[in-house]
Amino acid sequence: MTSLFQNYARRSVHLVKGRGTIVTDDKGKDYLDFTSGIAVVSLGHAHHALVEVVKRQSEKLWHVSNLFESPEQELLAAKLTEDTPFSHAFFCNSGAEANEAAIKLARKHTKKNVIITFEQSFHGRTFGAMSATGQVKVREGFGPLLESFRIIPYNDAQQLEAAIDGDVAAIMLEVIQGEGGVNQIDPDFAQLLTDLCKSKGILLIIDEVQTGIGRTGTRYAYEQTVLEPDIITLAKGLGGGFPIGAMLGSSELFQSFGPGTHGTTFGGNPLAVAVAQTVVDIVFKKKFLLEVEDKSNYLIEKLQASLSKDQYSIRGAGLLLGIECRDEVQSFIQQAETAGLLLVQAGANVIRMLPPLTVTYEEIDQAVDILATVLLAEKVAVT
């Protein structure tokens, strides 16, 4: 009997501690964590710098209302917007909250109601973010959702052009659809989308909740494309495991989010901001991002050398990679867990690999060996 709602399909493993990429369960068994709490613990578990900053900040100030000025928020906002198209930030607690803020800002600024999103997208489970999400399994069972979202196929130029009219306030997308199957934006589609936003005066919102803060090898994933966003949303890796979300917007949007238009009780609290500032100080260093890119190349090369191209395809960027399999992957993930490797799905047929950005090359070797053994054993069994 449980006192919890069963809204999660929980695994039976009970994790009790972690250090770097390694987590340990209540029976003393170690695992390689290639989920990172679903792209959250960007610097691994119990990173020394984050532990220290939490200790220091917890002895000074935990919470203060957003009715008061916050120099710490100003510093974090400046770091996140430096050398970007953005000039202002709003801090909240999660990715869904950041996306809700983006939706509100786009509609208020443009005075239009329609936002175009894409099939297989995932933007959160609050009502607005769920309405924006292009996955039936997330949306079904809740009655009529918000009607102001037009959900079209991803990377479909014809459908995009047909969906645009004078009522469209914004287009909202993920550069890589993490939950939806690790689907990447096509360069030609990205160029068309950019051109249409410019010519039609449509805002571009990029959901960087999973791809931001170094996950794809650059500060933000859009930096690897021609896309020119007006708004991006962040969370997950921004806090390295401490809850925080953010929306960044261009200077043209500043006047549309004045006092009373939006708010949060806990968003941008001193503990969260102190941790996020430390994460950003580490991750945004050029050397660190180059190491993420190098580890990504190494991981891809190892996977390609270990897995048959006829059976598996690898996609993604940085340390957000998907392995598409011919069969459903749930049993593979369970077998890998038994062997000491934690993974997560991205749809029925895709294994998602999300190691901490601090993962070592030796840990990559170990993880690929485990996964290859599991998949090879399955192939032999089927044969």
Side-chain angles (χ1 to χ4, degrees), residues 111-123:
K111 298 180 172 55
K112 297 178 181 180
N113 298 328
V114 173
I115 296 177
I116 295 172
T117 63
F118 297 92
E119 293 176 3
Q120 298 307 119
S121 62
F122 182 82
H123 299 295

Side-chain angles (χ1 to χ4, degrees), residues 298-315 321-326 329 332 336 341 343 349-353 364-380:
Y298 184 78
L299 175 54
I300 292 170
E301 289 171 3
K302 290 285 293 186
L303 289 169
Q304 289 174 335
S306 302
L307 303 177
S308 166
K309 292 181 180 180
D310 296 332
Q311 297 290 323
Y312 311 100
S313 63
I314 301 162
R315 55 179 182 257
L321 299 181
I323 304 166
E324 184 176 14
C325 306
R326 291 185 176 181
V329 300
F332 303 155
L341 172 63
L343 299 164
N349 295 82
V350 177
I351 297 170
R352 197 170 8 156
M353 303 191 82
I364 290 173
D365 289 342
Q366 294 167 21
V368 173
D369 287 346
I370 292 172
L371 180 58
T373 299
V374 166
L375 295 178
L376 180 60
E378 183 70 18
K379 183 179 178 182
V380 170

Side-chain angles (χ1 to χ4, degrees), residues 335-367:
Q335 292 170 53
E337 181 180 295
T338 301
L341 172 63
L342 303 183
L343 299 164
V344 65
Q345 290 179 237
N349 295 82
V350 177
I351 297 170
R352 197 170 8 156
M353 303 191 82
L354 294 164
L357 305 183
T358 52
V359 65
T360 67
Y361 294 95
E362 292 77 13
E363 289 166 342
I364 290 173
D365 289 342
Q366 294 167 21

Side-chain angles (χ1 to χ4, degrees), residues 129-245:
M130 178 175 63
S131 298
T133 292
Q135 297 187 49
V136 173
K137 67 181 182 180
V138 175
R139 297 158 56 91
E140 64 184 356
F142 297 99
L145 301 180
L146 300 182
E147 298 177 353
S148 55
F149 293 95
R150 292 178 187 163
I151 302 174
I152 65 174
Y154 195 49
N155 284 325
D156 190 319
Q158 186 175 357
Q159 290 276 358
L160 175 62
E161 291 183 294
I164 291 176
D165 59 24
D167 296 325
V168 176
I171 298 172
M172 185 176 189
L173 61 86
E174 301 155 277
V175 174
I176 302 175
Q177 294 179 326
E179 296 288 335
V182 193
N183 307 311
Q184 295 173 267
I185 194 166
D186 180 80
D188 290 337
F189 185 75
Q191 185 64 66
L192 173 65
L193 195 151
T194 299
D195 294 342
L196 287 171
C197 285
K198 286 182 177 180
S199 64
K200 304 291 185 180
I202 295 170
L203 297 179
L204 177 57
I205 304 169
I206 298 185
D207 180 338
E208 294 260 13
V209 170
Q210 189 161 151
T211 56
I213 315 299
R215 175 55 58 181
T216 63
T218 50
R219 296 176 304 170
Y220 310 115
Y222 82 84
E223 294 175 316
Q224 300 175 34
T225 73
V226 299
L227 296 170
E228 299 178 16
D230 301 282
I231 299 170
I232 66 169
T233 55
L234 305 167
K236 289 189 179 289
L238 176 58
F242 202 100
I244 186 171

Side-chain angles (χ1 to χ4, degrees), residues 46-59:
H47 189 280
H48 64 91
L50 302 190
V51 171
E52 288 304 312
V53 76
V54 168
K55 287 179 180 178
R56 290 198 304 270
Q57 185 61 46
S58 68
E59 294 175 348

